[in-house]
Amino acid sequence: MMSDEREAIDTSETAPAGFEPVIVAFCCQYCAYAAADLAGSMRLQYSPNVRVVRLLCTGKTDPIFFLKAFEGGADGVFVAGCMEGNCHFVEGNLRAKQRVQHAKGLLDEVGIGGGRLEMYNMSAGEGAKFAAAADEMTERIRSLGPSPLRPEPGDAEAALQAALDGVEVAQA
Ligand code: FES
């Protein structure tokens, strides 16, 4: 059923045939990053289109991160933080939620589209929830089509790496 759904979306008017979205996920190391790791350990199937960027806390996110990701070739971006009330830095995830909402408005204004940005909350033990978020965003962006800022095909990976350089927290 899933392959039928994807095939139907690929032939939509907005997405060119064969379009594979690039999704950047800014993940808190205490929850979503661990959930992504767990999903891998559990061998859960989820979209391979998602590039995970580890953050100390989603409170560290800045709208400039989102813009750098889009400039670098991302077609969609999501932020994944701890459940509300469980942030290790008290209100970091609430600040992230506000920034995402603000940035969605800015993306609408500049023609990129606020729908290309989303926020999720999950605990470290919710590998399946991370997998569902990755799949949901991939399908949403697949239906929206490529970002208007997307570089020429072939340049996306290198540009994305350059744009995200210095954003990810250092590995301990
Ligand atoms: Fe996870 Fe703040 S520590 S969102």
Side-chain angles (χ1 to χ4, degrees), residues 28-31 56-59 80-82 86-93:
C28 162
Q29 67 175 0
Y30 293 104
C31 55
L56 181 63
C57 168
T58 58
C82 299
N86 286 343
C87 173
H88 292 233
F89 297 89
V90 187
E91 294 188 342
N93 53 359

Side-chain angles (χ1 to χ4, degrees), residues 55-126:
L55 298 175
L56 181 63
C57 168
T58 58
K60 292 286 185 184
T61 52
D62 187 295
I64 198 73
F65 291 6
F66 311 146
L67 292 176
K68 285 172 81 172
F70 283 116
E71 285 176 358
D75 300 295
V77 172
F78 72 87
V79 178
C82 299
M83 300 298 290
E84 293 188 9
N86 286 343
C87 173
H88 292 233
F89 297 89
V90 187
E91 294 188 342
N93 53 359
L94 299 181
R95 286 198 299 278
K97 183 180 180 182
Q98 291 176 339
R99 288 173 191 151
V100 165
Q101 283 305 316
H102 179 65
K104 284 167 82 73
L106 294 176
L107 291 171
D108 277 335
E109 286 180 20
V110 301
I112 297 173
R116 295 181 183 277
L117 176 65
E118 201 53 76
M119 170 114 195
Y120 295 91
N121 298 89
M122 63 193 68
S123 68
E126 293 184 301

Side-chain angles (χ1 to χ4, degrees), residues 1 9 12 42 50 56 74 77 89 103 114 120 122 127 133-134 141 152 162:
M1 183 174 173
I9 291 169
S12 71
M42 295 170 69
V50 175
L56 181 63
V77 172
F89 297 89
Y120 295 91
M122 63 193 68
I141 303 305
E152 291 299 311

